[in-house]
Amino acid sequence: MYSLLLGMLGFLLFFLYDVNSFTWRSRLLHKSFALGVTLLAAATVLDLAAALRMGAFSGLKDLILLVAGALCLAALVYCLFFALPFAETYQDTDGPPAVCDRSVYALCRHPGVLCMLGMYLFWGLGALPATMLRNGLIFSGLNTVYVCFQDRMTFPRTFPDYPDYQKNVPFLIPTGASIRAAWRTRRRSAEEEGSP
């Protein structure tokens, strides 16, 4: 129960961070995103620990699910912290920020949603009968509501070029064209990361 409350509080802090980004612009509230990530991570660790205490992830099938969930977590971390220009995304900068429309962000506008869902689904199935699957599905549902809010309220106010991005890149489900665009732009993204 504590883990569910922690995760829900984390999402409340995510919403607070977003509302702050286009209303009050408080430096103190700007920290609420990092605190929300910390609370959601703590909730997930608590659920994993509870599942391990109950003997979860003991068979080969469960270990495969554990590894698959870990790969989804790695993809989620990549989407949120490495595929985006960190300073422009998570720190205060002068001038309006530009949309990142390359690599995984050419695939769909919110690729982290799919990664998080995969992580909780794999870990939750491996952790049965623990509550991780239920909590993970609740967190994934809250994440979907959160990105809908971002897509309609936060990002159009934050990024001047976001309406064009919405027209050209699918919301959550990649298409053939967006997969090709992600493949094409991955090289450009890698070159920019490697440049001094």
Side-chain angles (χ1 to χ4, degrees):
M1 188 64 172
Y2 291 119
S3 59
L4 181 60
L5 292 175
L6 278 177
M8 292 173 79
L9 182 57
F11 277 100
L12 183 63
L13 288 170
F14 294 157
F15 278 99
L16 184 62
Y17 169 84
D18 273 54
V19 171
N20 179 62
S21 72
F22 62 83
T23 54
W24 314 296
R25 300 184 194 280
S26 161
R27 288 177 100 52
L28 180 65
L29 291 178
H30 191 73
K31 310 276 187 227
S32 61
F33 183 82
L35 183 56
V37 169
T38 303
L39 292 179
L40 185 59
T44 304
V45 168
L46 285 173
D47 281 346
L48 276 173
L52 288 169
R53 280 194 305 273
M54 292 177 63
F57 305 113
S58 55
L60 178 60
K61 175 186 68 80
D62 294 340
L63 288 176
I64 291 170
L65 290 170
L66 183 66
V67 169
L71 291 174
C72 289
L73 172 60
L76 176 62
V77 169
Y78 174 77
C79 288
L80 293 178
F81 300 108
F82 295 99
L84 293 168
F86 186 84
E88 294 170 27
T89 306
Y90 297 107
Q91 296 175 350
D92 291 329
T93 57
D94 295 330
V99 166
C100 178
D101 62 353
R102 60 189 181 274
S103 186
V104 294
Y105 287 94
L107 196 62
C108 66
R109 297 196 301 270
H110 302 279
V113 170
L114 302 175
C115 300
M116 179 184 280
L117 176 61
M119 177 188 76
Y120 283 124
L121 191 60
F122 289 130
W123 284 351
L125 290 173
L128 290 174
T131 59
M132 182 158 210
L133 182 61
R134 182 204 66 197
N135 289 355
L137 292 176
I138 291 170
F139 297 155
S140 294
L142 288 171
N143 194 32
T144 303
V145 171
Y146 175 54
V147 299
C148 286
F149 179 80
Q150 287 182 316
D151 207 67
R152 295 290 165 220
M153 299 292 292
T154 308
F155 292 162
R157 289 181 165 111
T158 308
F159 301 100
D161 52 350
Y162 199 75
D164 289 334
Y165 181 61
Q166 286 175 305
K167 291 176 193 168
N168 297 319
V169 178
F171 178 60
L172 282 180
I173 308 302
T175 63
S178 72
I179 291 168
R180 288 189 294 277
W183 182 257
R184 255 192 335 270
T185 59
R186 73 175 170 51
R187 273 199 203 108
R188 187 181 78 200
S189 183
E191 288 168 3
E192 288 174 5
E193 288 171 8
S195 62

